Amino acid sequence: MSLGSTTESQPGRIEQQASDVCISGDWTLLHYAKLKQVVAHAGEVPANTSINLQALGVLDTAGAALLVELLGTERLLRISDWAPDLPEARKALLETVAEALSEPLNPPTPPKAPVTDFLARVGAGTEDFWQQFTALLGFIGLTLEAFAATVFRPSRWRLAALAMHIKQTGVDTIPIIALLTFLVGAVVAFLGATVLGEFGAGIYTVNLVGFSFLREFGVVLAAIMLAGRTASAFAAHIGSMKANDELDAIRVLGLNPIELLVLPRVLAMVITLPILAFVGMIGGLLGGLMVCLLVLDISIAQYFAILHRDIPVHHLWVGLSKAPVFAFVIAVIGCLEGFKVTGSARSVGEHTTSSVVQSIFVVILLDAVAALFFMEMGW
């Protein structure tokens, strides 16, 4: 912003007269380097010195900032009192620049008390958790509504998509689940043989492996594996579709994204996780069998005889009963995080990571609640 004529550009000057200072010439960005040297050489003008601005030429914000440095902010904030003949536009420019420079660029922030800061973070975390929880409940409602609208209309079933997701979430995951649970079962059996052997109760390692994998480890390990492998895939796939405006195109075509994208994935997970949990249980028992054969000299027949005698079959049903619930929650969280993507690649990555973290947390939370419930029920 500049004020004044630009026909002849003459660098600004500071002339010291008897009892006043005369400021003349152009004070613009074009002459900023030279004017800076002039101001630095002159220093700040004393407060009792009279200032004459009648010969002032072109003026812009850069020159006004130098005049503030030369004359001081307090003097220029009162420019209407000692320079009434100066054009109003120039007085307004000088007052505005002086007011802006009188305020610190980084105002000091008052120190926060540790307790206040802690409570603020707790409150923000609680609010964020509540928003996530309500969003999840709302999305579960939309999913159930879409399921109720299509379950009695076979023409709207997406069997091809369902079969594809069953293959991706179930068939392709069986080797990973089997290997993982086999190794964990071997570790649990080895720890049980080491600890229980000190008390002469090494034979109860079979019971330890049987109870732990039929009730907990089989389904939990399978659910955590799907949370990391499948929920992230759901979030990334739907999130990339959201970023590419494909979801808007689906709505324009008159289709329901929940029915088209979410339902096949949720149903596929509900079908495959009980199967994977059963595979995990078998893998864990076989891992425990290997350790019992090598460390405790328990034969295969004796191993399965102990399982048959000491572990009722209802423990198997307790473990499998949790699988559909885990599957539903994992699939819904993965799809919901995909719908939350805002449109950038960074957002896709953030919500993919969030889907994994939330799924694993919810699985462990639900498993703890279920364990307490079954314990109180005596099941």
Side-chain angles (χ1 to χ4, degrees):
M1 177 180 180
S2 60
L3 298 174
S5 175
T6 58
T7 54
E8 295 181 1
S9 181
Q10 298 180 354
R13 297 184 301 277
I14 304 175
E15 299 177 359
Q16 181 73 38
Q17 297 179 356
S19 60
D20 60 355
V21 172
C22 180
I23 298 176
S24 59
D26 298 337
W27 291 71
T28 61
L29 182 62
L30 179 64
H31 308 298
Y32 186 84
K34 184 176 181 180
L35 293 172
K36 184 69 175 177
Q37 296 178 356
V38 172
V39 171
H41 178 72
E44 186 172 350
V45 177
N48 57 356
T49 304
S50 177
I51 306 299
N52 186 353
L53 300 177
Q54 297 300 322
L56 183 63
V58 181
L59 178 67
D60 62 7
T61 52
L66 290 175
L67 289 177
V68 171
E69 182 180 348
L70 176 69
L71 304 178
T73 57
E74 295 185 1
R75 189 199 302 264
L76 287 180
L77 288 175
R78 296 181 290 101
I79 192 171
S80 299
D81 298 336
W82 55 269
D85 298 333
L86 197 66
E88 293 296 329
R90 293 193 175 183
K91 287 193 291 185
L93 175 61
L94 290 171
E95 289 176 351
T96 302
V97 174
E99 183 178 358
L101 294 179
S102 65
E103 301 176 356
L105 296 179
N106 297 317
T109 57
K112 295 182 179 179
V115 176
T116 303
D117 187 55
F118 172 75
L119 293 177
R121 285 188 279 111
V122 170
T126 304
E127 182 181 6
D128 182 66
F129 173 79
W130 179 251
Q131 291 177 354
Q132 294 279 359
F133 180 71
T134 53
L136 179 61
L137 290 181
F139 196 76
I140 289 175
L142 292 175
T143 304
L144 295 177
E145 179 187 11
F147 176 76
T150 59
V151 66
F152 298 113
R153 298 180 182 179
S155 61
R156 296 174 61 177
W157 293 355
R158 310 278 175 179
L159 297 180
L162 178 62
M164 180 190 68
H165 290 304
I166 288 177
K167 178 183 180 298
Q168 291 178 349
T169 62
V171 178
D172 296 344
T173 314
I174 287 177
I176 304 174
I177 297 295
L179 177 60
L180 174 66
T181 53
F182 179 84
L183 296 176
V184 175
V187 171
V188 171
F190 182 76
L191 292 176
T194 302
V195 176
L196 296 175
E198 297 180 359
F199 303 96
I203 193 68
Y204 290 104
T205 301
V206 180
N207 302 67
L208 174 64
V209 175
F211 277 109
S212 60
F213 273 89
L214 291 180
R215 292 184 67 96
E216 299 294 339
F217 285 167
V219 63
V220 170
L221 290 176
I224 290 177
M225 178 60 67
L226 284 185
R229 184 181 185 273
T230 307
S232 60
F234 289 174
H237 188 194
I238 296 178
S240 62
M241 294 180 67
K242 176 78 175 295
N244 295 329
D245 297 328
E246 295 179 41
L247 296 183
D248 294 334
I250 290 174
R251 294 186 178 95
V252 169
L253 293 174
L255 301 174
N256 184 358
I258 304 294
E259 179 182 335
L260 186 68
L261 301 175
V262 178
L263 274 185
R265 289 172 167 82
V266 172
L267 293 177
M269 285 280 285
V270 171
I271 293 171
T272 57
L273 186 54
I275 300 173
L276 293 175
F278 182 75
V279 171
M281 295 173 186
I282 300 301
L285 294 177
L286 292 179
L289 173 61
M290 182 190 70
V291 173
C292 290
L293 283 173
L294 299 177
V295 178
L296 300 176
D297 294 328
I298 298 176
S299 65
I300 298 177
Q302 185 181 6
Y303 182 85
F304 285 106
I306 295 173
L307 288 178
H308 184 289
R309 182 193 67 197
D310 297 339
I311 302 178
V313 71
H314 79 267
H315 295 295
L316 171 66
W317 304 125
V318 167
L320 291 179
S321 66
K322 296 184 285 187
V325 179
F326 292 169
F328 180 81
V329 172
I330 291 171
V332 167
I333 290 176
C335 296
L336 173 61
E337 290 301 313
F339 278 95
K340 287 182 179 179
V341 171
T342 56
S344 63
R346 178 178 179 180
S347 179
V348 174
E350 290 176 351
H351 287 285
T352 300
T353 304
S354 178
S355 68
V356 176
V357 175
Q358 291 185 44
S359 299
I360 294 176
F361 173 78
V362 172
V363 164
I364 296 175
L365 177 63
L366 291 178
D367 184 67
V369 173
L372 293 175
F373 173 77
F374 290 135
M375 182 180 65
E376 291 296 328
M377 296 297 295
W379 293 349

